[in-house]
Amino acid sequence: MNDKRPYRVLIFDDDDSIRKLLWGYFDGRKYEVFTFPDPKSCNLCDIQSCDCPTQEACADIIISDLNMPFMKGLDFLELQIKKGCKCRHLALMSGDLTVADADRAKPLGIKLFKKPFRIREIDEWVKKVEGEIPAGRQLTDWYFNDRR
């Protein structure tokens, strides 16, 4: 019997077709998938600091579009890092990534994908990331809690 919890990904993109494409990809890999049209639609955006228990994280991967309503994806990822988010695999997608955006993202370890991307690019990165996720890691059930 396999006691391992499935991987979890959070996807932020205001383009419904991109959310569906990525949902399908990750669902096909048996991930627990949460999608949001913008960061403000996720209750993680509203908390003041990461309150995941010490040994737990909200997700294994967070992937976000750069330009969305209410908040840029890069601002959201930076905010999560500043709050102490324990998710270590962050990615940013954009069709109009500027040098300044890339210069902000790279030192934070945020993977960059230029739109339109090929699903093969995502797949290569995801396979690498999966190899870095500890087998015994735990995920918090943040989505069941109303933290607003």
Side-chain angles (χ1 to χ4, degrees):
M1 182 171 142
N2 184 359
D3 292 338
K4 187 176 179 198
R5 187 170 187 168
Y7 295 119
R8 181 184 297 156
V9 63
L10 309 182
I11 301 166
F12 296 86
D13 200 310
D14 58 323
D15 184 330
D16 189 51
S17 64
I18 298 291
R19 284 195 318 273
K20 286 179 181 177
L21 171 73
L22 291 174
W23 181 90
Y25 167 76
F26 283 105
D27 184 62
R29 293 187 69 77
K30 306 298 184 209
Y31 272 65
E32 191 174 26
V33 184
F34 294 87
T35 65
F36 305 92
D38 62 80
K40 291 286 187 179
S41 63
C42 175
N43 66 354
L44 292 176
C45 192
D46 294 333
I47 62 172
Q48 297 302 310
S49 65
C50 177
D51 58 356
C52 293
T54 305
Q55 300 300 318
E56 297 180 16
C58 60
D60 296 302
I61 296 172
I62 300 175
I63 186 166
S64 178
D65 185 26
L66 175 65
N67 294 312
M68 293 179 289
F70 310 112
M71 177 182 275
K72 283 182 73 166
L74 181 53
D75 294 336
F76 172 67
L77 293 178
E78 282 181 324
L79 183 61
Q80 291 306 108
I81 291 168
K82 286 178 186 172
K83 290 178 186 182
C85 181
K86 296 172 191 78
C87 180
R88 296 293 160 235
H89 306 287
L90 309 173
L92 192 64
M93 310 171 285
S94 179
D96 57 351
L97 187 71
T98 66
V99 172
D101 291 330
D103 288 346
R104 280 175 57 197
K106 286 182 182 177
L108 299 172
I110 298 171
K111 175 69 175 171
L112 302 174
F113 293 101
K114 182 162 177 50
K115 287 182 177 177
F117 55 81
R118 296 178 192 257
I119 203 69
R120 181 181 75 237
E121 296 171 74
I122 302 287
D123 187 56
E124 289 170 2
W125 179 69
V126 166
K127 287 177 180 174
K128 178 181 176 272
V129 163
E130 288 174 353
E132 297 171 2
I133 297 171
R137 64 74 175 105
Q138 295 183 12
L139 297 170
T140 186
D141 290 332
W142 59 269
Y143 47 89
F144 289 122
N145 300 327
D146 184 13
R147 297 179 179 180
R148 291 183 191 261

